[in-house]
Amino acid sequence: MELSVIICDDLAEERSQLCRFVQAYGQERGYRLRMEEAAGGEELLSRWRRDRWDLVLLDIYMPGLTGVETARRLRMLDESCEIAFITTSEVHGLVGYDLGVLDYLVKPVNRETIFDMLDWCVHKRWESLRTLKIRSEWEEMEVRLQDVCFIEIQRHTAYIHLQGKTIGTRRGMAELEEEIDSPSFLRCHRSFLVNLAHVATIHKNDFVMENGQRVPISAAKAQLCRQKLLEWVLEQGWGRS
């Protein structure tokens, strides 16, 4: 499993200490880490892209954009990433609640505090952090389940359709479906497994994906697929509210 973290603090020594704690966490828990650092809110926001970070560790008192203002702007761009405030004061606790902040840590932080916060982050984001191991052209790789749009079987090859590329691997659908075992994935056809998170709509007997691709729905599963998509959308909406 991979965890992507950015640490935003104007003090280099504070960033270095937090990096050491986070790296120690990854080594102890057996997670791969993608670590980034930013010296201020402006720098962090300039580097944002969708699904880039699972967790933002954000100091509140920084020159230029404060951590609170940075968090507000980040939330306008990204509702899903987790944010943790790390600061010297507790006066912004209610603001953190309004912004859906994961945790509010008062300096000086220690290893145990960071580990507890990261455990909670992983617990909340477990589904989005899961990966699928595949072998393609003698190369082993892992892809995040959340990046898989759909899987298609042709003869003895499974084609993993991601955003922007497709990877072929010699695996069967039953094996892949069992390994993925996620409520976001639906077997809609003998040869297709679709990620409902990337479905835009249903048109006739096809799922229409966000990128315009179509995934066929078998006639026998048409009613079930419509019901499952509706249930999934409602569940996600309730979760966000």
Side-chain angles (χ1 to χ4, degrees), residues 57-69:
L57 296 178
L58 190 57
D59 185 29
I60 287 183
Y61 295 107
M62 298 184 293
L65 279 182
T66 67
V68 171
E69 183 57 32

Side-chain angles (χ1 to χ4, degrees), residues 88-130:
T88 57
S89 171
E90 299 181 2
V91 299
H92 296 286
L94 290 177
V95 175
Y97 178 81
D98 291 339
L99 291 170
V101 169
L102 173 77
D103 210 339
Y104 192 98
L105 307 179
V106 179
K107 296 179 181 180
V109 297
N110 56 38
R111 175 188 169 105
E112 181 180 0
T113 301
I114 294 295
F115 274 44
D116 286 346
M117 180 269 297
L118 289 168
D119 278 340
W120 177 230
C121 177
V122 170
H123 172 77
K124 289 190 67 179
R125 295 185 64 82
W126 175 255
E127 187 68 20
S128 66
L129 294 172
R130 290 181 58 207

